[in-house]
Amino acid sequence: MGDVENQQDLNDLWKYVCHLFPILCHENDDENRQDCTGDELNIMQRIVSEGQEALVEELVLNEIETKLRRDIVPTFWHHFSDSDVTIRGLEGFKGAVDSLYDSLSTLVPLLQTLELLRQTAQSAREVYGQLSLMETFKVMVRASLHSQLPLNYQAITEDFYRISFRVFCNSENKETDQNESAEDIVQCAGCSLEIEFCQCQSIIEAFHDINGKLQELDLLERLAGDVLTTMIHKRIENHVQETCKGSFDVSHIGSLEVWLDTVVMGWLSRIYSSGSFGFRESENKASLSTGETLSKMKQTLRHFLYETYTRTRIDQLFNIIIEYPDSEPAVEDLRICLLKTDLRQHLTLKLQRALETRLLHPGVNTPDILTAYVAAIRALRTLDPSGVLLDTVTQPVRQYLRWRDDTVRCVVTSLTEEGPSELAEELSRGEALQLDDLTPSEEDTKNWETWNPDPVDADPSKTSQSRRTSDIISMLVNVYGSKDLFVNEYRTLLADRLLSSLNYNTDKEIRYLELLKLRFGESQLHYCEVMLKDIYDSKRINTHLHSDTNFNLDNQEFAITAMILSAQFWPHFNKETLELPEFVQEHLNTYTKAFETLKGNRTLSWKPQLGSVNLDIELKDRKINLTVSPIHATIIWHFQTKNQRSIEELSQIMHAPATLVRRKITYWQSQGLLHEIGPDLFELVEESGPRVKGHIPSEIVCDDEETESAMASAQEQREEELQVFWSYIVGMLTNLDSMPLERILQMLKMFALQGPTTIEVGLQELRHFLDRKVAEEKLLFYGGVYRLPKS
């Protein structure tokens, strides 16, 4: 009898439970549920007294989860099916969210009743550690949604947020730009419809409604988080590209930060602050969570903005460097961004690749490479004051410049040329040369309190002071590691300038020399001082000889002025030979005798290929006055006695190579005084006018006199310098019979390099020199040793 009563009590209790939670009733239980009436509080107390509150909660939650998985969630995802979607984007996504929100709202009363039951049980006995029913419900919703996630759901979501973002940006632009006439606008930039059919307002309302519902359900981040992140990242990338395209003279980082805070974060704040919090337990708690979410997103997006802007500027860095200092704002922006991003290694590799691709190849002239290198030094000094970035990035440039033969000449020319020149400006600063030094400087020890370690990518073999030097000339000299090359090149360049001016004016060269002495030291430039003194003495001697009537130089057929050079202090001259006309040589002998009379035990050794000649040429129909080189004057003078001359004939008369005569004669062809009537046969043109076209070459290439140097080439000068060692080598091999290369070099350093000469030689250079002697059959090489051939 007791079991029957207990069963009846349980049946009655079940009816009350179904009355509280209709979701537990099946179709055949509807009639019993309707007949059951009672106070909800009494029913809950009875459930608690029977100890069935946990079972009831579990049953209700199971039924809710079943309903979610079978009905609500499939209906929601059905809106995203390609076969069913008729309107994508705004309306498609709005319909899906509205359907989900309405369906879930019907379950809220059940959760509220279940929460009352839980509170009743807690008042009867203490229960701790239980998860909030609303949070449990949201976990079930998210799990059900993700378990049935379709592959193509992001398309409609992306359409919705893309349209809403465009409308939001358009509305912001309208607020900031009030001067634009509405009559000029035909199509709305937000919704892309005609102005009279604009749907921006309805889109904004739908936007707030949908985001509010998703926010209440805690589904915004789960359903739209990836879409929002991807879309915002693309928008940031596009905006950075549009803002910074080809613009280097204006800083953009500030305006980009403002745009991110106002436009992007303004839009996101509207997304995350929407909603009435109907599904939340506490409005204050929800507001706090939204604020934290927006703060984290702002921090993340700002870092992404810095990274995007930095990568954009790194891609443009080669052009930024070329335009420096006009591009200094862009360099400063990049410096700030590098401190906030981890892209230093990326910058190094990218810029090195750009330099090698666009600069370091034979198609670029050496002056252009030097200009870019100087600009890189200045720009990278601003970008990284430690000098580590400059040292690393420009390493290939320094190696390439060392490989080019004309680098030193281009540097020296830029140092002493007139007009705007960055190296000339550096030289005028008058700083001392700062060569690489591996020992710490006194300044480093004095400023130890403000000392900062070098970046991790710094070369440990170099000191911080050597990297931080801002002297460009010192860095160019350090490319070669020795200032002797630059001094010797300047000496050659100075000789060319002095010999080509012929006016004895050395004021400008003295100024440059004094500046160079501050850089390279007086001892290095002593020879150059003597060269300038020779020019001054030459002017004084010429004035004296021509003013003294005892020498009778002014009564000659033509006046001669000479530059009298101290041979041992000037660079080697080129080895061109020239036989001057006899009457010219007689005038030179007269000048020599006058000089010997003045100087006593000194005489002159003339260089007939150097200097200039002022000619008056009289033809049948014209007179011409020209200033040319001695070889040009000699060529045209020989046509005075004979109208036709061949190259071979002129070569024999002038004692000059035929190739040189052929090259020089093109000058007179370009002047119209000679024309070629046959192979290597030329005729004087007495009268100007039409000539036989077949006798005149269609193109005449005239050599540029300014590009030719009176000095021997660097290779020729070096060859003559090495000849100094030849007598030592012959003496060593005569006494010791045979010697290996290393032993020869060691002996030269002990004896030949200890004198006043400053000539140095390395192992490879000595090997090439001795191999040339072997080719000339002046040496024998066998078994790794050199020996003299037996006579």
Side-chain angles (χ1 to χ4, degrees):
M1 187 68 181
D3 292 339
V4 175
E5 290 179 356
N6 290 337
Q7 184 64 37
Q8 183 63 37
D9 291 341
L10 290 176
N11 291 336
D12 293 340
L13 180 59
W14 177 249
K15 291 179 181 181
Y16 289 120
V17 171
C18 291
H19 176 75
L20 285 178
F21 305 103
I23 195 172
L24 298 176
C25 298
H26 302 288
E27 295 181 358
N28 56 353
D29 295 332
D30 288 343
E31 184 176 354
N32 294 331
R33 180 181 59 81
Q34 293 174 0
D35 294 338
C36 180
T37 60
D39 182 55
E40 292 184 356
L41 181 58
N42 293 331
I43 298 175
M44 293 180 186
Q45 291 175 347
R46 183 176 176 183
I47 295 174
V48 172
S49 64
E50 294 291 339
Q52 302 298 321
E53 69 279 359
L55 177 62
V56 171
E57 181 176 316
E58 181 180 357
L59 291 174
V60 172
L61 292 178
N62 286 340
E63 289 296 328
I64 290 176
E65 185 175 10
T66 302
K67 185 173 182 62
L68 287 173
R69 292 183 178 275
R70 290 182 179 179
D71 300 328
I72 298 176
V73 171
T75 303
F76 173 74
W77 287 129
H78 189 66
H79 288 81
F80 294 82
S81 175
D82 288 336
S83 61
D84 185 64
V85 172
T86 57
I87 302 178
R88 300 179 63 85
L90 183 67
E91 296 186 13
F93 191 68
K94 184 179 184 304
V97 174
D98 287 342
S99 173
L100 178 65
Y101 187 83
D102 294 340
S103 300
L104 295 179
S105 297
T106 61
L107 301 176
V108 172
L110 293 175
L111 296 173
Q112 294 172 345
T113 304
L114 201 59
E115 184 64 31
L116 289 175
L117 177 61
R118 176 179 286 187
Q119 293 176 0
T120 302
Q122 289 176 346
S123 63
R125 53 185 176 273
E126 293 296 330
V127 179
Y128 299 100
Q130 288 183 315
L131 188 65
S132 167
L133 286 173
M134 186 60 70
E135 294 300 322
T136 303
F137 173 69
K138 290 177 180 179
V139 171
M140 294 165 56
V141 173
R142 292 195 295 269
S144 300
L145 287 171
H146 287 172
S147 66
Q148 302 180 33
L149 191 70
L151 297 176
N152 59 345
Y153 84 97
Q154 289 186 339
I156 293 179
T157 308
E158 187 175 352
D159 286 344
F160 167 73
Y161 283 104
R162 185 172 59 251
I163 294 172
S164 61
F165 185 65
R166 189 168 65 242
V167 170
F168 172 77
C169 292
N170 183 56
S171 63
E172 291 292 321
N173 292 335
K174 285 182 178 180
E175 293 177 3
T176 56
D177 187 7
Q178 300 293 338
N179 297 325
E180 189 175 10
S181 176
E183 297 179 357
D184 299 334
I185 304 176
V186 178
Q187 188 179 28
C188 177
C191 59
S192 301
L193 298 175
E194 294 183 5
I195 294 298
E196 55 182 331
F197 301 110
C198 178
Q199 299 293 322
C200 288
Q201 186 59 37
S202 61
I203 292 175
I204 292 175
E205 293 175 358
F207 171 76
H208 286 291
D209 180 56
I210 292 173
N211 287 309
K213 293 176 179 178
L214 291 177
Q215 186 75 349
E216 292 175 21
L217 297 171
D218 282 351
L219 293 177
L220 181 61
E221 189 66 28
R222 275 76 177 180
L223 289 180
D226 292 342
V227 174
L228 287 172
T229 301
T230 302
M231 189 182 69
I232 292 175
H233 284 184
K234 289 181 180 178
R235 182 60 183 143
I236 291 175
E237 291 173 351
N238 293 336
H239 185 73
V240 169
Q241 292 288 344
E242 293 170 1
T243 303
C244 308
K245 185 178 181 181
S247 176
F248 307 142
D249 56 348
V250 178
S251 175
H252 293 291
I253 191 65
S255 61
L256 289 174
E257 290 176 345
V258 172
W259 173 81
L260 180 70
D261 293 341
T262 56
V263 178
V264 178
M265 292 310 302
W267 183 61
L268 288 175
S269 63
R270 295 193 181 187
I271 293 177
Y272 284 91
S273 62
S274 303
S276 59
F277 310 107
F279 281 85
R280 296 187 182 273
E281 298 179 56
S282 171
E283 184 172 342
N284 293 332
K285 181 180 178 181
S287 300
L288 182 60
S289 177
T290 301
E292 292 176 351
T293 301
L294 289 174
S295 178
K296 291 180 180 179
M297 292 188 70
K298 181 178 180 179
Q299 184 178 1
T300 302
L301 291 178
R302 182 167 291 235
H303 182 271
F304 181 79
L305 175 69
Y306 283 130
E307 184 172 326
T308 303
Y309 182 72
T310 305
R311 290 184 181 274
T312 302
R313 284 310 194 201
I314 289 175
D315 293 338
Q316 303 168 341
L317 188 52
F318 182 84
N319 294 331
I320 292 174
I321 288 175
I322 296 300
E323 296 186 18
Y324 194 85
D326 294 337
S327 60
E328 187 172 0
V331 175
E332 187 63 25
D333 279 355
L334 187 55
R335 184 187 67 82
I336 295 173
C337 290
L338 281 179
L339 298 176
K340 302 176 182 293
T341 59
D342 187 23
L343 293 174
R344 187 184 179 93
Q345 185 67 21
H346 174 68
L347 183 148
T348 301
L349 297 176
K350 194 83 173 181
L351 183 55
Q352 274 188 340
R353 192 176 301 113
L355 290 172
E356 293 172 357
T357 304
R358 302 178 61 178
L359 195 66
L360 306 184
H361 57 81
V364 183
N365 295 326
T366 302
D368 295 334
I369 299 177
L370 286 172
T371 301
Y373 181 52
V374 171
I377 292 175
R378 293 184 169 179
L380 294 178
R381 283 292 185 203
T382 303
L383 187 61
D384 177 27
S386 70
V388 175
L389 196 60
L390 171 64
D391 186 64
T392 305
V393 169
T394 59
Q395 179 65 24
V397 182
R398 296 194 296 273
Q399 292 178 349
Y400 188 80
L401 286 174
R402 192 182 300 115
W403 171 78
R404 285 219 171 185
D405 296 333
D406 59 340
T407 299
V408 178
R409 172 163 283 262
C410 290
V411 172
V412 174
T413 303
S414 298
L415 285 173
T416 57
E417 68 181 1
E418 295 184 359
S421 170
E422 293 183 348
L423 292 183
E425 293 177 2
E426 286 288 326
L427 181 63
S428 63
R429 291 167 55 186
E431 296 181 0
L433 200 66
Q434 302 174 18
L435 297 182
D436 283 341
D437 188 6
L438 299 182
T439 59
S441 65
E442 294 182 1
E443 186 176 354
D444 290 340
T445 57
K446 289 181 180 179
N447 300 329
W448 62 272
E449 293 181 342
T450 59
W451 175 85
N452 287 317
D454 287 330
V456 294
D457 53 344
D459 185 356
S461 64
K462 295 185 178 181
T463 63
S464 176
Q465 178 65 20
S466 66
R467 283 190 296 265
R468 293 175 187 269
T469 174
S470 60
D471 182 46
I472 296 176
I473 298 177
S474 299
M475 296 190 67
L476 290 172
V477 173
N478 285 328
V479 168
Y480 291 88
S482 171
K483 52 188 177 183
D484 293 338
L485 285 173
F486 291 86
V487 172
N488 292 334
E489 189 63 43
Y490 171 69
R491 184 180 164 208
T492 302
L493 181 65
L494 178 63
D496 280 331
R497 287 179 174 176
L498 295 177
L499 294 178
S500 61
S501 63
L502 301 177
N503 57 7
Y504 302 109
N505 186 1
T506 60
D507 293 342
K508 182 182 68 174
E509 300 300 339
I510 290 175
R511 175 178 174 272
Y512 287 135
L513 179 60
E514 292 300 321
L515 291 173
L516 288 171
K517 284 164 64 176
L518 294 175
R519 293 278 180 170
F520 297 95
E522 294 192 10
S523 60
Q524 295 284 338
L525 296 166
H526 173 65
Y527 282 13
C528 297
E529 286 185 306
V530 175
M531 291 165 60
L532 290 172
K533 185 177 182 299
D534 284 345
I535 302 302
Y536 173 78
D537 291 342
S538 297
K539 181 180 181 180
R540 179 175 53 81
I541 293 172
N542 273 286
T543 302
H544 178 73
L545 291 178
H546 282 279
S547 62
D548 193 336
T549 56
N550 294 326
F551 298 126
N552 199 27
L553 292 180
D554 288 341
N555 295 329
Q556 300 291 324
E557 184 178 357
F558 57 87
I560 293 179
T561 59
M563 281 190 177
I564 303 169
L565 315 178
S566 303
Q568 65 270 30
F569 291 97
W570 285 69
H572 298 286
F573 295 97
N574 57 41
K575 296 182 179 180
E576 292 181 2
T577 59
L578 177 63
E579 181 74 23
L580 296 175
E582 185 176 350
F583 80 100
V584 177
Q585 190 62 48
E586 291 176 357
H587 283 66
L588 297 180
N589 293 336
T590 302
Y591 189 97
T592 302
K593 290 180 181 179
F595 178 81
E596 291 174 348
T597 302
L598 179 65
K599 290 295 183 179
N601 60 348
R602 295 188 182 182
T603 188
L604 297 177
S605 175
W606 293 91
K607 298 291 182 181
Q609 73 275 18
L610 304 181
S612 65
V613 180
N614 184 264
L615 291 179
D616 288 322
I617 303 175
E618 295 185 7
L619 300 171
K620 289 183 179 181
D621 59 347
R622 62 195 186 280
K623 293 182 179 180
I624 302 175
N625 179 267
L626 295 170
T627 299
V628 295
S629 66
I631 189 170
H632 287 109
T634 304
I635 289 173
I636 199 64
W637 185 85
H638 283 296
F639 281 90
Q640 180 175 258
T641 57
K642 186 178 179 181
N643 284 351
Q644 294 183 6
R645 297 277 188 179
S646 66
I647 295 295
E648 183 65 27
E649 183 181 2
L650 289 171
S651 175
Q652 293 178 358
I653 296 174
M654 298 169 57
H655 293 180
T659 55
L660 178 63
V661 176
R662 186 70 176 87
R663 180 160 52 89
K664 297 295 183 179
I665 208 170
T666 57
Y667 172 78
W668 296 116
Q669 288 182 271
S670 66
Q671 295 294 325
L673 270 68
L674 297 178
H675 72 276
E676 192 170 4
I677 60 176
D680 290 341
L681 182 62
F682 294 86
E683 183 182 43
L684 180 67
V685 180
E686 289 281 359
E687 297 179 342
S688 61
R691 298 185 293 273
V692 181
K693 185 176 181 181
H695 291 172
I696 303 176
S698 58
E699 294 185 4
I700 298 176
V701 180
C702 181
D703 60 332
D704 186 1
E705 294 298 318
E706 295 183 357
T707 61
E708 294 191 8
S709 173
M711 303 297 107
S713 66
Q715 182 177 357
E716 292 173 346
Q717 292 189 44
R718 186 58 177 169
E719 188 68 24
E720 291 191 12
E721 292 174 351
L722 292 177
Q723 288 295 334
V724 176
F725 301 131
W726 178 240
S727 60
Y728 289 93
I729 295 173
V730 172
M732 288 187 291
L733 294 177
T734 301
N735 296 326
L736 302 176
D737 186 46
S738 63
M739 297 176 65
L741 176 66
E742 293 77 7
R743 179 61 175 164
I744 294 176
L745 179 60
Q746 184 180 6
M747 295 290 288
L748 287 176
K749 289 182 177 180
M750 291 175 62
F751 300 105
L753 300 180
Q754 295 300 319
T757 178
T758 58
I759 302 174
E760 297 182 1
V761 64
L763 185 65
Q764 292 300 324
E765 189 176 20
L766 181 61
R767 184 195 304 274
H768 294 321
F769 175 73
L770 296 180
D771 289 345
R772 286 195 297 270
K773 294 299 182 182
V774 172
E776 296 171 2
E777 299 183 353
K778 295 181 179 180
L779 277 181
L780 296 177
F781 180 72
Y782 180 76
V785 296
Y786 293 91
R787 66 180 70 233
L788 294 174
K790 295 181 180 181
S791 57

